Amino acid sequence: ETLKSRVNMAEDNDTEFSRPQIFLFGCELKNDKKEYKLDIEDDEDEHQLSLKAVCLGADAEDKTHEVEIEGMTYDGKMTKVHLAVLRPSVLPTVCLGGFEITPPVTFRLKSGSGPVFISGQHFVSSKESDDEDADEEEHNTSPVKRPSSSMPGSSPVVKKLKLEKQE
């Protein structure tokens, strides 16, 4: 479930959310800190993590490093899944491509000594009040979005770049 679909579902329930603010997210798992918890106690905002990559640090031992994530399922139960299994000589980095999860979430280094770095984005959408909505509509100066030049089913226009010759 993506933040966009959650926002759309919330809008269907007559609750409006602002455009999400996007923040960097990162944590490190290592021998003396094998667990990282992200538990948001903010009931006013919607939070979503979009994980992008899991990678080993340069000084990680050439052993298997197993990273587990614990989060909530759609029915409110906590579950654990393997996020990545890394080894410097074989697979030092995994691109997650936007693996999305809603906090609370716990990351664990199940095997290996790290360091393992997890990076991504933290989306925060705030609920808007009716007063803010009315204010925004009266003073809306945002530009009008133009429709895409390509129509569905048609091939996109390919533009060639001119490259200067180096002497």
Side-chain angles (χ1 to χ4, degrees):
E1 183 178 310
T2 66
L3 180 61
K4 187 175 182 180
S5 66
R6 289 178 62 122
V7 170
N8 287 341
M9 287 190 317
E11 286 174 352
D12 291 342
N13 294 329
D14 295 332
T15 304
E16 295 285 328
F17 288 90
S18 67
R19 181 174 176 204
Q21 290 183 304
I22 304 169
F23 302 96
L24 288 175
F25 170 79
C27 68
E28 178 180 8
L29 303 174
K30 54 187 177 178
N31 214 16
D32 60 343
K33 188 172 180 354
K34 290 191 176 248
E35 191 170 278
Y36 179 87
K37 290 183 181 184
L38 180 65
D39 192 5
I40 312 285
E41 294 183 14
D42 177 8
D43 291 336
E44 295 297 313
D45 299 328
E46 289 287 321
H47 295 264
Q48 187 83 15
L49 281 183
S50 178
L51 302 177
K52 302 295 183 180
V54 180
C55 63
L56 292 170
D59 53 345
E61 292 181 46
D62 196 22
K63 294 181 179 178
T64 301
H65 296 76
E66 183 180 352
V67 180
E68 172 185 86
I69 186 170
E70 182 176 355
M72 198 173 301
T73 61
Y74 72 95
D75 57 355
K77 296 178 183 174
M78 295 304 282
T79 188
K80 298 174 186 176
V81 297
H82 295 299
L83 186 62
V85 179
L86 306 170
R87 188 176 186 118
S89 62
V90 180
L91 185 66
T93 301
V94 172
C95 179
L96 299 172
F99 176 88
E100 294 184 356
I101 188 163
T102 303
V105 62
T106 303
F107 301 96
R108 271 188 209 92
L109 184 58
K110 294 295 288 181
S111 68
S113 57
V116 175
F117 299 98
I118 302 170
S119 62
Q121 296 173 310
H122 182 177
F123 293 86
V124 180
S125 292
S126 301
K127 294 179 184 176
E128 291 183 345
S129 69
D130 291 338
D131 295 340
E132 289 174 4
D133 290 343
D135 236 11
E136 194 174 298
E137 287 175 12
E138 290 174 15
H139 305 292
N140 190 358
T141 59
S142 61
V144 177
K145 185 175 179 182
R146 295 181 183 165
S148 174
S149 60
S150 63
M151 298 297 290
S154 67
S155 59
V157 178
V158 178
K159 295 182 180 180
K160 293 184 180 179
L161 295 174
K162 289 186 178 180
L163 299 175
E164 293 181 20
K165 291 184 180 180
Q166 293 181 354
E167 295 178 22

